[in-house]
Amino acid sequence: MSNLIEARDLKRYFDVSKPWLNRVLEGGKREVLRAVDGVSFDIAKGETFALVGESGSGKTTVARMVVGLLPPTSGEVTIDGVSMTDRRQAGARRALRRRIQMIFQDPYASLNPRLRVDAIIAEPIRAFELLTSECEIRARVGELLGLVGLHADDGVKYPHQFSGGQRQRIAIARALASEAEFIVCDEPTSALDVSVQAQILNLMRDLQDRFGLTYLFISHNLAVVRHMATRIGVMYLGRIIEVADSSKLFADPRMPYTKMLLGAVPDLTMSGRARIAVRGEIPNPIDPPSGCAFHPRCPEVFERCRIDVPRLIDGVACHAVNGG
């Protein structure tokens, strides 16, 4: 299966320093937040690749760089062979835009409250000139509403007249309106009730099977992506520290941080698996720890962890796992 998305050594730094004059007068120094610090991954056509980790790990920053909403400080993203950063490929990038969509965390904030639902869903159709006849556009909007489990008559309503789950269905319909092939899902269920989360995830799986969609799925909750993702990348403080097939990651997590995340997932099957308790908080990305960024919280820490940054070897970045 060929790769649709390739990300290579993505980095994104933010200068959060005080203004230059303040630094001169107050004796402060330049401060740089390393939100993403060397992330690489591939996503094959038709698969779901999930990025998981605590808030502040850099997942959303990666997602925004992949779709071109945020330029990387360095590194490269290509989608179907088209660079998202090379100025010489600006024309090819414009043609690619229709095939890329994003579903955001808060469905209400992502929908224009002044527009009716039919106008919201029709917007990509008009923008990309997929259809020109108003009759055809209305029929297509009704078809899309039906695909996501709503009725065509719901198009005359406004976003505030729907529940959170229904609003996310509208956001999914809007993403499908441009005939997208690659959809970035940024915490698409975290603002929803648990019972509604399952409905939205099942809908997304059904649509993926039906249209051959490719997903980049962002989440802080491993339980959410367990049956959704083909492969999972675990992020910590701007880096991917473990990546594996979904089934393998849940059956045999290798990195202590991954084990800690899994320990926070309720064990409904009462498997009796040993758990690592969640301890400490994610460090300040402006002043990260030396060596392995996880070492202040790691139960398996030893001296090298405090000095050397571990490289990703065989899908895991951990000195303890890779033989010290």
Side-chain angles (χ1 to χ4, degrees):
M1 192 179 295
S2 60
N3 291 327
L4 182 65
I5 291 87
E6 296 181 355
R8 294 290 177 268
D9 200 25
L10 281 181
K11 297 181 180 180
R12 177 64 199 195
Y13 301 161
F14 295 94
D15 190 337
V16 294
S17 311
K18 291 181 179 179
W20 175 81
L21 185 58
N22 289 69
R23 298 203 304 272
V24 170
L25 296 176
E26 300 169 11
K29 61 180 182 179
R30 192 162 173 254
E31 295 183 322
V32 176
L33 188 155
R34 297 170 178 256
V36 177
D37 198 16
V39 166
S40 300
F41 58 85
D42 300 323
I43 308 177
K45 289 183 178 180
E47 83 163 338
T48 299
F49 180 70
L51 286 176
V52 300
E54 294 169 284
S55 296
S57 60
K59 309 180 299 296
T60 295
T61 305
V62 169
R64 291 177 182 272
M65 286 193 288
V66 167
V67 297
L69 291 177
L70 192 66
T73 302
S74 64
E76 180 72 24
V77 177
T78 59
I79 300 179
D80 204 13
V82 177
S83 170
M84 299 301 288
T85 53
D86 191 340
R87 293 181 180 178
R88 293 170 297 180
Q89 296 195 42
R93 222 167 20 249
R94 281 193 294 271
L96 186 68
R97 292 292 181 191
R98 179 189 62 78
R99 300 165 58 193
I100 307 169
Q101 288 294 330
M102 195 164 182
I103 300 171
F104 296 92
Q105 179 175 354
D106 185 348
Y108 189 63
S110 70
L111 302 175
N112 189 335
R114 296 185 177 184
L115 293 182
R116 297 190 320 187
V117 165
D118 53 5
I120 290 172
I121 297 174
E123 211 166 15
I125 300 174
R126 293 192 171 97
F128 293 109
E129 298 179 348
L130 299 176
L131 297 171
T132 54
S133 164
E134 285 300 317
C135 183
E136 290 178 332
I137 292 174
R138 281 196 300 273
R140 178 59 177 159
V141 169
E143 180 186 352
L144 289 166
L145 285 169
L147 277 174
V148 298
L150 298 174
H151 195 276
D153 293 342
D154 290 328
V156 301
K157 300 178 183 177
Y158 290 87
H160 72 269
Q161 295 177 277
F162 295 89
S163 67
Q166 289 173 325
R167 284 195 287 263
Q168 199 62 290
R169 290 174 186 268
I170 294 166
I172 294 170
R174 180 180 58 184
L176 295 174
S178 67
E179 300 176 4
E181 299 170 28
F182 173 51
I183 300 179
V184 175
C185 313
D186 186 8
E187 301 268 15
T189 61
S190 63
L192 306 177
D193 294 340
V194 175
S195 59
V196 180
Q197 286 183 9
Q199 296 173 17
I200 297 300
L201 293 175
N202 287 335
L203 171 64
M204 293 176 67
R205 282 290 299 269
D206 291 343
L207 293 172
Q208 183 177 36
D209 293 340
R210 181 166 180 171
F211 298 109
L213 301 174
T214 304
Y215 291 138
L216 171 58
F217 198 97
I218 308 298
S219 179
H220 66 277
N221 189 344
L222 273 170
V224 168
V225 301
R226 180 167 193 168
H227 303 292
M228 185 75 190
T230 314
R231 290 183 302 121
I232 299 174
V234 180
M235 286 194 69
Y236 189 79
L237 215 64
R239 294 175 180 269
I240 290 181
I241 58 173
E242 184 168 1
V243 60
D245 290 345
S246 179
S247 57
K248 183 178 179 181
L249 190 84
F250 278 88
D252 183 27
R254 300 166 69 196
M255 173 74 191
Y257 177 64
T258 309
K259 295 176 183 177
M260 189 185 79
L261 289 180
L262 283 171
V265 176
D267 187 2
L268 300 180
T269 61
M270 302 295 287
S271 64
R273 182 180 62 203
R275 291 169 175 258
I276 295 179
V278 177
R279 49 189 281 186
E281 295 181 356
I282 195 165
N284 184 353
I286 299 175
D287 185 24
S290 60
C292 175
F294 184 60
H295 85 253
R297 306 171 68 186
C298 183
E300 301 179 28
V301 62
F302 59 99
E303 190 56 33
R304 186 182 176 188
C305 303
R306 300 183 175 91
I307 301 170
D308 295 335
V309 177
R311 294 182 297 115
L312 193 69
I313 300 173
D314 192 24
V316 64
C318 179
H319 293 309
V321 173
N322 293 325

